[in-house]
Amino acid sequence: KQEVTQIPAALSVPEGENLVLNCSFTDSAIYNLQWFRQDPGKGLTSLLLIQSSQREQTSGRLNASLDKSSGRSTLYIAASQPGDSATYLCAVAGKTSGNTPLVFGKGTRLSVIA
Amino acid sequence: SAVISQKPSRDICQRGTSLTIQCQVDSQVTMMFWYRQQPGQSLTLIATANQGSEATYESGFVIDKFPISRPNLTFSTLTVSNMSPEDSSIYLCSVLQATNEKLFFGSGTQLSVL
């Protein structure tokens, strides 16, 4: 059974710092991995999706990497801003996309202090 | 990207009553999913709702407690029946966009049961 772990559970950084969020999963037979952002009282927003054949994806100040063999992914946020404060969740899809539910980590709660 | 309208956004309910949550998508989608997020926990899939067939429930969730309707390709409802305080959670609907395999979420329903 796939298990997803995110470390740290919470992180507080001053504005402008670069930071890395970590995600690990127990079964390397994944189809893809997604990073989401969740704001209080709101749903989830998809940030980046990495297919199992890819090593990284970039969107603006965000870069996500995937090392399937070691069961790890990182989300790198450059030049953090107070607006980045949110909970970041990673989720992995099993071998058959759409037919296997995403397994989510518990998230990392990020606070960026102005 | 798919836009999902979910309502109600929050509700406070009495023990023993039922609440129906609605999700409307701005485009036709084959697969819709219902998740639960208990306080401090990750998202857990309740069921997959496909139009024209009965919903598929995950282990630990049953149709009598969480009946789901999927009358067409843009709409679904989840009912939380005979509620108890343990049902207090955020409930989220989501859809899988076939073009990019990303999962899009509604804004969630914050349910509190007294």
Side-chain angles (χ1 to χ4, degrees):
Chain A
K1 179 185 172 185
Q2 179 75 272
E3 292 182 3
V4 179
T5 303
Q6 290 187 246
I7 295 174
L11 180 64
S12 183
V13 300
E15 181 178 8
E17 271 204 9
N18 303 324
L19 60 101
V20 174
L21 306 180
N22 297 293
C23 173
S24 62
F25 45 95
T26 54
D27 185 351
S28 61
I30 66 169
Y31 188 79
N32 61 42
L33 181 145
Q34 292 187 59
W35 282 94
F36 294 88
R37 167 184 174 142
Q38 184 175 29
D39 293 282
K42 297 185 179 180
L44 280 67
T45 301
S46 179
L47 298 173
L48 291 164
L49 181 149
I50 311 177
Q51 298 291 352
S52 62
S53 58
Q54 298 174 321
R55 295 300 297 265
E56 66 178 351
Q57 283 287 327
T58 298
S59 175
R61 294 183 293 107
L62 305 179
N63 176 279
S65 68
L66 174 64
D67 184 343
K68 206 171 63 166
S69 61
S70 67
R72 293 184 181 181
S73 175
T74 62
L75 179 66
Y76 175 83
I77 302 177
S80 59
Q81 303 171 357
D84 295 330
S85 298
T87 297
Y88 291 81
L89 298 156
C90 79
V92 298
K95 262 218 153 154
T96 306
S97 171
N99 297 323
T100 306
L102 289 183
V103 179
F104 284 81
K106 291 185 179 181
T108 294
R109 190 171 64 254
L110 173 66
S111 298
V112 181
I113 311 301
Chain B
S1 61
V3 176
I4 305 170
S5 173
Q6 182 175 344
K7 57 182 181 181
S9 58
R10 60 178 60 241
D11 207 341
I12 301 173
C13 301
Q14 296 297 320
R15 181 194 299 261
T17 62
S18 298
L19 175 72
T20 296
I21 303 168
Q22 299 180 3
C23 261
Q24 179 75 51
V25 190
D26 68 343
S27 59
Q28 293 185 338
V29 293
T30 303
M31 303 183 77
M32 292 182 73
F33 307 92
W34 287 97
Y35 284 86
R36 180 174 74 180
Q37 186 178 29
Q38 293 177 303
Q41 302 298 314
S42 61
L43 276 73
T44 302
L45 181 67
I46 297 171
T48 302
N50 295 325
Q51 193 269 336
S53 63
E54 283 201 6
T56 303
Y57 289 83
E58 297 299 307
S59 175
F61 298 97
V62 295
I63 187 171
D64 290 345
K65 176 67 175 178
F66 298 101
I68 288 172
S69 78
R70 184 81 200 275
N72 56 53
L73 291 174
T74 63
F75 187 78
S76 179
T77 67
L78 170 76
T79 298
V80 186
S81 303
N82 189 25
M83 288 184 284
S84 65
E86 292 71 35
D87 294 321
S88 298
S89 292
I90 298 174
Y91 292 85
L92 299 122
C93 66
S94 68
V95 302
L96 181 69
Q97 190 157 64
T99 53
N100 58 18
E101 295 183 313
K102 285 188 175 180
L103 204 60
F104 293 92
F105 283 83
S107 54
T109 297
Q110 174 81 61
L111 172 61
S112 298
V113 183
L114 304 178

